[in-house]
Amino acid sequence: MTVAAGVLHHDATDLFGLTAALVAIPSESHHEAELAAIVRERLGARAPSLAVDVVGASVVARTRLGRNRRVVLGGHLDTVPANGNETPRIDGDVLHGLGSADMKGGLAVLLRVAEELEAHPDRARHDVTLAFYECEEVADRHNGLRRIFDTSPDLLAGDFAVLLEPTDAWVEAGCQGILVLEARFDGERAHTARPWMGRNAIHRATEVLQRLASHESDVVDVDGLEYRESLQVVRVDGGIEGKYNVVPDSCTLVVGRRFAPCYTIDDAEEQVRALLAGADAVEVLQAQPAAAPNLTNQLVAEFVEGLALPVRPKLGWTDVARFASRGVPAVNFGPGDPEIAHTAGELVTRDSIERAYSTLARFVGVGS
């Protein structure tokens, strides 16, 4: 049996085995087309009543039941590059392999939800959109959800969204914003035997570098959740390649900030620029908004409180911010431990996958 057939013909009630079959199909970012085609084919065969649209290497399936509210469930098809873990390996109730936690366990859950909606449409409490999308693990300009929102936003319309990021069946509420700035320090070249005739740009940067190194980031309470911020120098460039006898006339520092959802991008930028005082120029390289927890929203509360789910803040940025920026409350919830995502030892447990499915199935109304 081919790896494609392993996914196409695997019984979705065996979520653990279906996840292993999905892990066996390589889908590194920018190379998701094969997996997207398999997902499309399986949906067509096993959930033919759902409307299915393909945008690039992303697949969106939607029920058309006429319910009052629509819930969007999203999962990305891509993985980070392999690290000696591309072949799935099962050890009892533990599945090891690339993407097992982030997030092929989540994709298996989505496929089963689709099939249960096909089998039991009368039980569905909400209309449901299932988004299987490309390029989440790379630069934002490639993101499949971004592309769909830009070209076909109606496909992702909804009242509430759940992104099946690995959370080990916790609700990880909101997300941090991202800000990346580059600070430039100018100098004047001279021979290192006569440095007083120039001005060393690297030396000029040291005061700011020390200020950043000694900065203690805040822990910020938002709706009772503690978001731990971070500020890190992630790159330093200076000097002239291969020239050790020249006083450098340029130095740049790249600084990354993860900020709490109580701040706007402008707030975060103002705070970081204050720490970069002394630089000759500062440029924003990347900026993505945070997402508020929205725990008091009716559908979020129904999901969290109605199912008695534990809640913690999301440390990091996810596509919940993409929905939140469009007025759609969203949370992170899926199988797998986020702390081992992207590692060579990535794994997911049978229990984690089954708990995530059971919770989402009950919420949309097709669970037992």
Side-chain angles (χ1 to χ4, degrees), residues 53-54 118 129 174 183 194 264 266 299 354:
D53 291 270
V54 177
E118 177 71 25
T129 296
R194 293 175 291 278
T264 66
D266 288 344
L299 274 171
E354 291 180 349

Side-chain angles (χ1 to χ4, degrees), residues 107-354:
L107 297 180
V109 169
L110 293 181
L111 288 171
R112 182 168 177 192
V113 168
E115 293 170 30
E116 293 297 330
L117 287 165
E118 177 71 25
H120 307 288
D122 55 310
R123 288 161 43 183
R125 299 173 57 238
H126 312 290
D127 264 302
V128 178
T129 296
L130 304 157
F132 304 80
Y133 63 100
E134 63 181 318
C135 287
E136 190 270 350
E137 300 287 10
V138 288
D140 183 66
R141 66 182 181 274
H142 302 296
N143 185 284
L145 282 186
R146 175 177 176 170
R147 180 176 180 180
I148 298 168
F149 271 123
D150 287 346
T151 62
S152 307
D154 289 349
L155 294 181
L156 296 174
D159 301 290
F160 175 53
V162 180
L163 277 297
L164 276 79
E165 291 290 341
T167 68
D168 206 18
W170 282 68
V171 170
E172 292 192 342
C175 73
Q176 295 171 307
I178 297 175
L179 185 66
V180 181
L181 295 93
E182 181 181 78
R184 192 189 79 237
F185 299 83
D186 298 330
E188 185 177 350
R189 291 188 191 183
H191 197 290
T192 54
R194 293 175 291 278
W196 57 87
M197 297 184 68
R199 185 171 60 155
N200 191 310
I202 294 176
H203 291 179
R204 289 195 61 228
T206 56
E207 181 180 350
V208 172
L209 190 59
Q210 180 57 46
R211 187 186 304 146
L212 295 170
S214 61
H215 176 76
E216 294 187 7
S217 295
D218 294 332
V219 177
V220 182
D221 186 291
V222 181
D223 292 349
L225 299 177
E226 292 189 340
Y227 289 85
R228 183 173 182 176
E229 299 190 309
S230 67
L231 180 74
Q232 291 289 300
V233 177
V234 295
R235 181 167 179 157
V236 179
D237 288 301
I240 302 169
E241 183 69 28
K243 298 294 184 182
Y244 308 118
N245 60 349
V246 179
V247 172
D249 62 348
S250 179
C251 178
T252 58
L253 308 179
V254 178
V255 180
R257 166 89 186 275
R258 298 298 178 109
F259 58 92
C262 59
Y263 298 125
T264 66
I265 290 173
D266 288 344
D267 293 334
E269 182 180 344
E270 181 180 357
Q271 293 162 359
V272 178
R273 281 182 179 272
L275 293 168
L276 296 176
D280 293 293
V282 176
E283 178 185 359
V284 177
L285 301 183
Q286 181 184 1
Q288 290 171 268
N294 261 324
L295 295 177
T296 57
N297 174 273
Q298 181 181 351
L299 274 171
V300 176
E302 183 180 317
F303 183 68
V304 174
E305 298 172 10
L307 298 170
L309 299 174
V311 183
R312 61 191 179 198
K314 178 63 182 178
L315 300 183
W317 190 93
T318 72
D319 282 302
V320 299
R322 208 175 297 281
F323 285 93
S325 68
R326 292 165 172 81
V328 179
V331 299
N332 305 282
F333 177 86
D337 183 346
E339 293 190 356
I340 58 173
H342 299 189
T343 69
E346 186 174 357
L347 59 84
V348 69
T349 65
R350 183 189 301 272
D351 177 68
S352 184
I353 300 170
E354 291 180 349

